């Protein structure tokens, strides 16, 4: 019988417990949950108990030194992703690190270099790539059904949805920014993935912070200091070396009718639009417009598919779908948009 993989987690908050530990605990033929680390002692103990882990730690360095782990998840606030991931890779672990990979492209590049040096796997938690609509869209694009893609749009807009207001999510030094880095990372990633990662060459955008005072703060948020120094809306436009362009729009709070996410791809042979869980394909056939809505199988739980894929990658020595090398490009785009908003002009990459 194959030996179970010894697993530990760094960061046992909402995502660590509900996505990572829940999904890895379902893979009990393959994975043994050994240790839980969180800087909040009660949380580390309670989560370790809940998932029958052998040990709870307050310090990830200590956990990595004492436990002989095969792989770890990193589900901490964003500013801890790079140091914890690099430490885990150097300790000989494969790493499943949450999105956004880190705060800057340089830090994500350091993570890629640590991964290459260690010979271990590193996957970023970009779960939207695993959705049925995204996988079918990728096949349609790769089969040439859209022809040349010359423009794209993507966004995720919330009416009222600021996470942990006053905690680490709304503190730039810990999160790197607001909805652009938090939500934007998902849909900028999936759009670029579908387009085959053309080279971005210029970004211009604007950010707004209009809801810092409007909604109640949440003193129970992790890392609460009452800080709100990030945007709540980011809009932008990107140019790629192949002539393609992309418009983006991400908000945590806006006065809109309802929350929605969307990706639109404009090709010279066809177009694809994903919105409100529906995928629409438009094609030109001898001057006639054909419109189809593929019947998509319901998505399996987002964490389960991703975690099962990562275990498969470790077991079968495969490259993960969500590669950190591509996360470097996504982070370049995000940081350039923040820079453009600060400078008030287009930024050339
Ligand atoms: N893939 C997704 O769609 C998705 C969804 C939610 C969150 N996330 C990501 O997961 C990460 C965590 O988000 P969350 O909502 O769980 O936040 P959270 O605040 O609920 O949990 C973060 C936990 O990390 C702990 N922590 C902080 N510093 C630490 C350190 N040095 N060592 C160990 N533990 C530490 C905190 O005490 C807290 O318990 C973020 O990067 C977020 O972007 C991803």
């Amino acid at each position: 019988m194959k030996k179970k993989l010894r697993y530990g987690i760094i960061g046992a908050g909402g995502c660590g417990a509900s996505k990572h530990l829940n999904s890895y605990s379902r893979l009990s033929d393959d994975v043994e949950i050994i240790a839980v680390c969180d800087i909040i002692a009660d949380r580390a103990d309670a989560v370790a108990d809940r998932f029958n882990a052998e040990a709870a730690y307050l310090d990830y360095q200590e956990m990595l030194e004492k436990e002989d782990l095969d792989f770890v998840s990193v589900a901490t606030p964003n500013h801890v992703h790079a140091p914890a991931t690099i430490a885990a890779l150097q300790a000989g672990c494969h790493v499943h690190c949450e999105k956004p990979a880190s705060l800057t492209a340089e830090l994500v590049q350091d993570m890629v270099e640590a991964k290459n040096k260690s010979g271990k796997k590193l996957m970023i938690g970009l779960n939207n790539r695993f959705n049925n609509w995204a996988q079918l869209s990728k096949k349609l694009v790769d089969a040439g059904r859209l022809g040349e893609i010359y423009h794209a749009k993507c966004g995720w807009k919330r009416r009222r949805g600021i996470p942990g207001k006053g905690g680490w999510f709304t503190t730039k030094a810990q999160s790197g920014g607001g909805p652009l880095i938090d939500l934007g990372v998902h849909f900028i990633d999936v759009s670029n993935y579908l387009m085959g990662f053309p080279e971005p060459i210029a970004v211009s955008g604007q950010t707004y912070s209009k809801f810092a005072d409007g909604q109640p703060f949440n003193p129970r948020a992790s890392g609460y200091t009452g800080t709100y120094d990030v945007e709540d809306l980011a809009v932008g436009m990107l140019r790629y070396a192949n002539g393609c362009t992309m418009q983006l729009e991400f908000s945590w709070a806006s006065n809109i009718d309802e929350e929605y996410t969307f990706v639109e791809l404009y090709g010279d042979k066809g177009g694809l639009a994903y919105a409100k869980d529906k995928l629409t394909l438009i094609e030109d056939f001898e001057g006639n417009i054909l419109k189809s809505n593929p019947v998509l199988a319901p998505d399996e739980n987002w964490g389960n598919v991703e975690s099962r894929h990562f275990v498969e990658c470790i077991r079968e020595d495969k490259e993960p779908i969500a590669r950190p090398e591509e996360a470097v490009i996504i982070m370049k785009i995000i940081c350039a948009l923040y820079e453009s908003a600060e400078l008030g002009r287009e930024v050339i990459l």
Side-chain angles (χ1 to χ4, degrees):
M1 210 176 80
K2 62 190 173 190
K3 190 179 152 281
K4 288 188 186 184
L5 298 168
R6 292 170 60 84
Y7 171 73
I9 185 156
I10 303 173
C15 185
S18 66
K19 174 179 172 184
H20 292 258
L21 282 159
N22 247 331
S23 56
Y24 284 119
S25 66
R26 284 162 195 269
L27 302 175
S28 56
D29 285 350
D30 268 303
V31 176
E32 198 174 355
I33 296 175
I34 301 293
V36 170
C37 170
D38 199 288
I39 52 170
I40 302 173
D42 289 352
R43 189 169 288 179
D45 288 339
V47 173
D49 269 3
R50 184 173 148 205
F51 289 95
N52 295 319
E54 289 171 11
Y57 288 88
L58 290 174
D59 175 4
Y60 63 76
Q61 290 286 9
E62 193 188 340
M63 177 179 87
L64 294 169
E65 275 159 31
K66 290 202 174 147
E67 304 291 349
D68 183 20
L69 300 173
D70 294 301
F71 78 113
V72 299
S73 291
V74 174
T76 59
N78 305 341
H79 69 298
V80 184
H81 289 184
T85 294
I86 292 170
L89 289 165
Q90 287 172 344
C93 298
H94 304 285
V95 182
H96 180 180
C97 175
E98 260 316 317
K99 52 52 64 174
S102 185
L103 306 184
T104 65
E106 290 74 17
L107 285 167
V108 186
Q109 186 57 38
D110 291 346
M111 293 160 79
V112 169
E113 275 155 31
K115 185 247 327 172
N116 291 342
K117 236 188 211 161
S118 69
K120 298 291 168 184
K121 312 272 177 216
L122 169 58
M123 181 174 80
I124 309 301
L126 293 160
N127 43 281
N128 284 278
R129 289 192 187 200
F130 293 84
N131 290 341
N132 290 330
W133 76 265
Q135 287 301 315
L136 176 60
S137 299
K138 179 83 179 134
K139 285 182 192 154
L140 289 164
V141 170
D142 290 351
R145 298 284 283 266
L146 272 57
E148 180 201 332
I149 298 172
Y150 56 90
H151 184 61
K153 279 185 184 179
C154 66
W156 182 341
K157 299 197 282 185
R158 289 184 181 160
R159 186 165 57 191
R160 295 290 184 274
I162 301 172
K165 192 172 173 187
W168 72 263
F169 271 104
T170 60
T171 304
K172 190 162 174 86
Q174 295 180 5
S175 59
L180 175 63
I181 195 164
D182 180 44
L183 308 179
V185 72
H186 280 298
F187 283 85
I188 299 172
D189 174 73
V190 84
S191 312
N192 279 275
Y193 169 65
L194 296 178
M195 294 190 296
F197 272 91
E199 184 194 349
I201 54 168
V203 180
S204 88
Q206 188 56 279
T207 57
Y208 305 85
S209 185
K210 302 289 182 188
F211 288 79
D213 303 322
Q215 281 181 279
F217 277 67
N218 175 6
R220 284 181 295 123
S222 305
Y224 184 79
T225 57
T227 306
Y228 190 113
D229 62 357
V230 296
E231 84 283 2
D232 36 54
L233 169 69
V235 296
M237 159 101 172
L238 254 140
R239 289 174 205 282
Y240 292 92
N242 64 2
C244 181
T245 47
M246 180 156 81
Q247 281 170 268
L248 8 129
E249 204 175 339
F250 295 97
S251 89
W252 275 342
S254 309
N255 290 316
I256 55 171
D257 187 33
E258 57 179 346
E259 171 168 349
Y260 65 103
T261 53
F262 62 95
V263 171
E264 290 176 18
L265 301 177
Y266 294 62
D268 59 3
K269 281 195 189 157
L272 256 185
Y274 169 76
K276 297 185 181 172
D277 295 328
K278 188 165 136 189
L279 187 65
T280 305
L281 172 67
I282 301 290
E283 293 175 289
D284 185 309
F285 178 71
E286 296 178 357
N288 302 288
I289 302 294
L290 304 186
K291 177 175 162 182
S292 44
N293 297 111
V295 179
L296 297 166
D299 280 313
E300 210 190 316
N301 172 283
W302 55 311
N304 293 350
V305 186
E306 194 180 313
S307 297
R308 202 171 53 233
H309 173 70
F310 195 50
V311 167
E312 248 170 54
C313 290
I314 296 172
R315 289 285 195 206
E316 296 166 26
D317 193 18
K318 288 194 314 202
E319 190 65 19
I321 288 181
R323 299 173 58 236
E325 286 81 358
E326 290 161 350
V328 175
I329 300 169
I330 300 305
M331 203 50 63
K332 267 188 195 159
I333 294 170
I334 289 172
C335 292
L337 200 152
Y338 282 132
E339 193 186 344
S340 163
E342 214 171 289
L343 298 174
R345 62 167 169 77
E346 188 173 58
V347 167
I348 307 298
L349 290 168

